[in-house]
Structures are given as structure tokens and as C-alpha cells.
Amino acid sequence: MALTEHRTFLSQNKVVSSSENRDAEMVRRVGSRIASAITTYYSKQGKGDILSGYQWEFNLVDSKEVNAWCMPGGKVVVYTGLLPVTQNEAALAVVLGHEITHAVAGHGNERMSQGMVAQGLGVAGNILTSGNAKVNNIFNNVYGPGAQVGVLLPNSRKQEYEADHFGLIFSAMAGYNPREAIPFWQRMAQSGGQKPPEFLATHPSDENRIAQLQSYMDEALKYYKPVKK
Ligand SMILES: [Zn+2]
């Protein structure tokens, strides 16, 4: 379902070509490094099979929205509107680490299951492949482009902190200074009304989020080896 949604999204939006655009090239570079950090992390834990179905793809899409997302299966999209807030590669790495953690840790799947139960649909069996309209609708509410504030919030703050925590570790492993997460989230806080739905939906307050990030920092720094330029 993610692959179909992803293909549809790309066909309906303006994808910036990475062969002629430095920002699109940067999105691809940062994304690939984060993906390989995650692969290393999971393999070392003997959980490499979690990523076996992943076919990574990183696209920059021309849109004012301050947003980025990763679908299960490794399809990642960054909106050009995010880049003035990230301002540097390390901050983009923090965002991609966060979004990819949501996908890999199955956060969306958890929320989908809850959505299916809430809609009176069985979670087991082949319903996910049946093209059921209600299921499609839930999918669109949980993932990426159509993600909305609302429904399934109980676990989401916990998921947000988990994504922040591992996102920091993965960006450090990928060679990016995790300390950039703090000024990035301060800039996000200042960008006010422009916050993306995904961040809005869960909104640990900006101060809480930054305090939590500080508490993960020593651990993340243990993984940090700067990339050679
Ligand atoms: Zn998140």
C-alpha cells in the first residue's frame, strides 16, 4: 500500500531532480547515510531482517510545507519548505533520523492497527491487501501526505520521544553532530504556525521536547564520528 501511495504522491507533486539541484542531492546524501546507519544499528542487534523489505528512495518535493516523511518500506520525501528551517545537513539528518525511526519502529503500523480496531475492522488476515476503502482511508490518515491531526493520539507522544531519541543516535552514527538538534527545534518553535501536521498531531511542547533531546545527548555523542569533508 505504501508503494502505491508513494508512486501516486510523486506523480501528483513536483519532484526536484537531484542531478541538477544541490538541495535534492543533499537530501539523497543525508538520507543514504542515515539509512546505512540504521542498517548497521539493526544488524548489530541481530535485527537486520526488519529492514529486509526496504528499498530506500529519497526525494525532494517542491512545496512550501515544512514537512518530511518516511513510509514503511523506505520511501522518504522532504519538502523544500523544510530546508530554510533545517539550514544545514546535520539538522536535516536529525529530521530524517526522526521520520525514518517512525517507519522502522513500526509506529505507523501501531497506529494503523488502532485505527482499524476503532473502525471495527479486523486487524488480522488479509484485509490489508484487499484494497478496502476504509483501510485506505486509515492508511492516509496515518502516513505521510494525508496525515492528519486527530484520531489516534494516546501513544503518539511516546512515539515522538522514541523517534527523537533514535533519530539523534542515527544522525550521530551517520556522522552528523547531534547537537544541531537543539537549535533546529528552537527554529521550529519560532516558525510557529508553519508546523507540519505530523509534528502538530503529537506536539510534546517545544520546551519538553528540547529538554528530552538534551537528556539523550550524551548517549548520542558516543556514536558521533564526524564525516570527513
Ligand atoms: Zn514524529
Side-chain angles (χ1 to χ4, degrees):
M1 202 182 280
L3 291 177
T4 314
E5 290 295 328
H6 179 250
R7 221 172 288 131
T8 307
F9 177 85
L10 291 185
S11 70
Q12 293 170 350
N13 288 272
K14 190 165 173 268
V15 178
V16 182
S17 161
S18 65
S19 61
E20 56 202 39
N21 181 286
R22 292 176 70 105
D23 286 340
E25 198 187 316
M26 171 181 72
V27 165
R28 202 149 292 187
R29 177 173 59 244
V30 175
S32 306
R33 284 181 185 159
I34 295 285
S36 100
I38 289 179
T39 307
T40 305
Y41 185 91
Y42 275 92
S43 318
K44 279 189 181 156
Q45 298 205 333
K47 293 179 188 165
D49 55 330
I50 289 177
L51 295 166
S52 62
Y54 273 62
Q55 292 183 313
W56 298 102
E57 192 179 325
F58 307 94
N59 286 298
L60 179 65
V61 162
D62 194 8
S63 162
K64 286 198 183 94
E65 251 185 88
V66 184
N67 207 359
W69 43 261
C70 174
M71 284 186 177
K75 305 302 186 192
V76 176
V77 166
V78 173
Y79 296 65
T80 49
L82 178 70
L83 300 181
V85 189
T86 52
Q87 292 182 8
N88 58 63
E89 277 193 51
L92 179 61
V94 164
V95 174
L96 292 185
H98 176 106
E99 294 304 326
I100 294 173
T101 299
H102 276 315
V104 173
H107 290 167
N109 291 343
E110 278 173 29
R111 296 177 69 201
M112 274 216 63
S113 305
Q114 292 168 346
M116 312 251 288
V117 170
Q119 295 276 312
L121 300 166
V123 178
N126 62 359
I127 193 157
L128 275 171
T129 58
S130 68
N132 180 306
K134 277 187 183 171
V135 176
N136 277 321
N137 194 29
I138 296 167
F139 183 91
N140 282 320
N141 277 312
V142 168
Y143 289 111
Q148 279 170 14
V149 182
V151 259
L152 312 156
L153 294 185
N155 288 330
S156 55
R157 186 164 302 196
K158 185 169 150 266
Q159 293 181 342
E160 276 308 283
Y161 286 138
E162 193 180 343
D164 278 348
H165 183 188
F166 284 95
L168 216 56
I169 289 173
F170 297 144
S171 45
M173 286 178 74
Y176 296 107
N177 191 341
R179 293 185 192 89
E180 287 293 335
I182 308 297
F184 164 70
W185 277 106
Q186 287 163 344
R187 291 193 294 275
M188 279 298 285
Q190 281 158 11
S191 72
Q194 279 297 302
K195 284 181 199 179
E198 193 265 320
F199 294 130
L200 247 189
T202 48
H203 67 85
S205 77
D206 296 316
E207 310 88 78
N208 288 349
R209 162 164 259 150
I210 287 168
Q212 284 286 335
L213 280 165
Q214 293 283 17
S215 76
Y216 306 140
M217 200 56 74
D218 284 347
E219 184 192 2
L221 285 167
K222 288 182 193 147
Y223 292 89
Y224 175 45
K225 288 196 193 69
V227 247
K228 291 207 176 94
K229 293 263 154 106

